[in-house]
Amino acid sequence: MKDQVMTEDEFLIKYQRFLDGDCSPEEIAELNAYHDHMQLEDGIWDIDTADQSLIKEEIAVRLAESTRMEPVRLQPVWWNKWRVAAVIAGIGFGFYGVKVYQRVHERKVQQLATAALSHDREEKKIYLTLGNGEKISITDAGKGTVTEASGVAVNKNNNDQLSYQHGGAAAANSATPEVNTLSTPGGMQFSITLADGSKVRLNASSSLRFPAYFTDNKREVYLTGEAFFEVVADPAHPFIVHVNDQAVQALGTSFNIKAYPEEKTAKTTLLTGAVNVKLPTAVKPLRVGEQLHYNVTDQQAWLSEVNVETVTAWKDGLFLFENERIDEIMLEIGRWYNMKVVFSAGNVSRKFSGKIYRNKKIEDVLKILDLTGAMNFRIINNQIMVTIP
């Protein structure tokens, strides 16, 4: 043991005061001096040895920045790709989540938890709207046949999948198939197998409008929000997704479209095969791994190479961000928890990277983000107030 040891509680309290901007220059100097011999071990710090160096680096950077010291070997941590996520999310609230928030931010956590508990009690259901306007709660429906649409049986296969039987014989029963709409609320996803066998996974707060079966020489659907498509190959009948001012055309391929009304830029990302995106003024072909950005306001479009893992991580229950703008990150989080996001101060265009599981409660997600130092939060009614230091 060192001759001079600051206890865990003393350090956490003082370090949290430093993060809040309440430390005097003398106290910051004490934290810097303590950091030089901080061991994070000997039973004082409840944390795995493998994570100690990362935590020490994060603390060193913040302390050094506050005193304009030049840290050795380090980058500013909160935008240094995956580092904060690895430290905070990866150790599962080990050092920061348990210690800081249980012992220092108790009151703030209680406020977040109370607000989130009230929010969690809200009823969330997935609905199928039929051609005659009838709404069926798929959430409440049992396994098996839910309804019929233009002679096509609509079956609930399990808790998160709906399927329409293949259309051949049904097409003779009705000259024009009725149009159905599947809608998801915040915090829920759902899959559907269309009459041609193509599969669509809907993200939260999204809707898909589609015919009970396909006719003529093309297959057309209409999307609002986000969805992942796995299209059955049929060269004679191209598959077309209409979204905003775009028509995404595919033959047999998989791709992701993110086009929420509240976001200025719609994004189409190709995973396999090939697609052509028809815009008001041009047609843009996509290659595997490319993402088409389309600004719905000024109708500008551009292509970029992307990590498709980050684009489709939502299907695997993850928030996965790689050098993304804070405002886009928070809009996605707010949408998942069905909460409005309001930015009260700061530069929303700053970039951030991280990984958080979507099955966490909203207060836990906000705790993780708050601890990075990149953002601070308050919950007022059903709003998340975001301050960017």
Side-chain angles (χ1 to χ4, degrees):
M1 297 288 288
K2 306 288 184 182
D3 293 334
Q4 179 187 5
V5 176
M6 187 181 295
T7 68
E8 177 185 10
D9 284 340
E10 289 172 342
F11 178 82
L12 289 171
I13 291 171
K14 189 166 291 188
Y15 184 60
Q16 186 58 50
R17 291 184 63 244
F18 162 74
L19 293 178
D20 292 338
D22 296 332
C23 270
S24 66
E26 292 77 14
E27 289 174 316
I28 295 176
E30 289 178 12
L31 289 171
N32 268 304
Y34 175 71
H35 180 270
D36 291 340
H37 66 262
M38 181 171 62
Q39 297 300 312
L40 300 180
E41 55 190 13
D42 297 331
I44 298 178
W45 302 87
D46 182 17
I47 182 171
D48 294 338
T49 303
D51 298 311
Q52 294 173 9
S53 61
L54 289 177
I55 293 173
K56 289 187 69 174
E57 285 184 5
E58 181 181 1
I59 295 171
V61 168
R62 291 188 181 176
L63 293 174
E65 286 177 346
S66 71
T67 55
R68 297 191 177 183
M69 295 168 57
E70 187 66 28
V72 180
R73 297 181 295 103
L74 301 180
Q75 300 281 333
V77 172
W78 69 268
W79 63 75
N80 188 12
K81 207 165 184 180
W82 301 108
R83 180 158 304 177
V84 170
V87 174
I88 297 175
I91 63 177
F93 294 105
F95 169 68
Y96 284 104
V98 175
K99 299 303 180 182
V100 174
Y101 271 92
Q102 283 186 351
R103 302 192 181 192
V104 182
H105 270 184
E106 234 172 65
R107 182 177 299 176
K108 184 174 181 180
V109 172
Q110 185 58 46
Q111 291 171 345
L112 290 174
T114 301
L117 180 60
S118 174
H119 174 72
D120 286 344
R121 287 174 179 162
E122 294 179 7
E123 188 176 51
K124 297 179 180 179
K125 292 185 179 181
I126 295 161
Y127 284 100
L128 178 69
T129 303
L130 304 181
N132 61 6
E134 179 187 357
K135 293 181 69 173
I136 299 174
S137 171
I138 302 300
T139 304
D140 296 329
K143 186 176 179 180
T145 301
V146 174
T147 186
E148 285 192 359
S150 296
V152 177
V154 183
N155 299 314
K156 184 177 180 180
N157 302 336
N158 50 48
N159 287 334
D160 70 345
Q161 188 179 72
L162 204 66
S163 67
Y164 284 60
Q165 75 176 54
H166 291 263
N173 297 332
S174 176
T176 303
E178 70 171 86
V179 175
N180 293 177
T181 302
L182 183 67
S183 305
T184 57
M188 297 184 76
Q189 302 174 5
F190 204 77
S191 293
I192 181 170
T193 301
L194 302 173
D196 69 330
S198 296
K199 297 179 180 179
V200 185
R201 180 74 175 177
L202 276 181
N203 201 352
S205 302
S206 301
S207 66
L208 184 74
R209 184 160 55 93
F210 55 94
Y213 59 88
F214 296 106
T215 59
D216 301 325
N217 61 349
K218 56 187 175 181
R219 300 168 286 170
E220 294 183 278
V221 301
Y222 296 80
L223 172 70
T224 299
E226 183 169 21
F228 180 79
F229 294 83
E230 295 176 275
V231 174
V232 170
D234 185 353
H237 301 86
F239 191 99
I240 301 173
V241 182
H242 295 277
V243 55
N244 295 338
D245 299 327
Q246 305 171 81
V248 181
Q249 179 176 321
L251 296 177
T253 183
S254 61
F255 55 96
N256 192 89
I257 299 178
K258 184 178 184 182
Y260 286 99
E262 64 271 22
E263 296 187 1
K264 295 180 181 178
T265 303
K267 301 173 183 178
T268 300
T269 309
L270 182 63
L271 278 77
T272 63
V275 300
N276 289 325
V277 182
K278 184 179 179 180
L279 303 171
T281 58
V283 176
K284 299 283 189 180
L286 266 65
R287 296 179 300 176
V288 172
E290 283 188 334
Q291 183 176 83
L292 175 69
H293 306 252
Y294 175 66
N295 188 305
V296 297
T297 302
D298 59 18
Q299 297 187 336
Q300 296 297 308
W302 64 97
L303 291 170
S304 66
E305 298 283 341
V306 296
N307 178 359
V308 296
E309 180 185 357
T310 64
V311 174
T312 61
W314 63 269
K315 298 194 300 95
D316 302 318
L318 291 171
F319 293 111
L320 189 57
F321 309 114
E322 186 172 359
N323 199 34
E324 292 189 37
R325 290 169 55 110
I326 288 178
D327 56 350
E328 295 180 355
I329 291 171
M330 289 309 304
L331 280 175
E332 184 168 344
I333 289 173
R335 185 183 303 120
W336 180 250
Y337 292 99
N338 198 27
M339 301 181 75
K340 183 178 180 181
V341 175
V342 178
F343 295 93
S344 58
N347 180 9
V348 298
S349 65
R350 294 176 73 176
K351 301 295 182 68
F352 185 84
S353 297
K355 172 183 174 181
I356 307 173
Y357 286 95
R358 288 175 180 256
N359 61 1
K360 292 183 178 294
K361 295 180 179 180
I362 180 61
E363 71 269 21
D364 291 340
V365 172
L366 296 183
K367 282 191 292 186
I368 291 173
L369 294 174
D370 185 272
L371 284 164
T372 67
M375 294 165 262
N376 303 120
F377 306 94
R378 287 184 300 150
I379 291 181
I380 301 176
N381 297 325
N382 199 45
Q383 296 186 357
I384 303 173
M385 308 296 293
V386 184
T387 301
I388 303 171

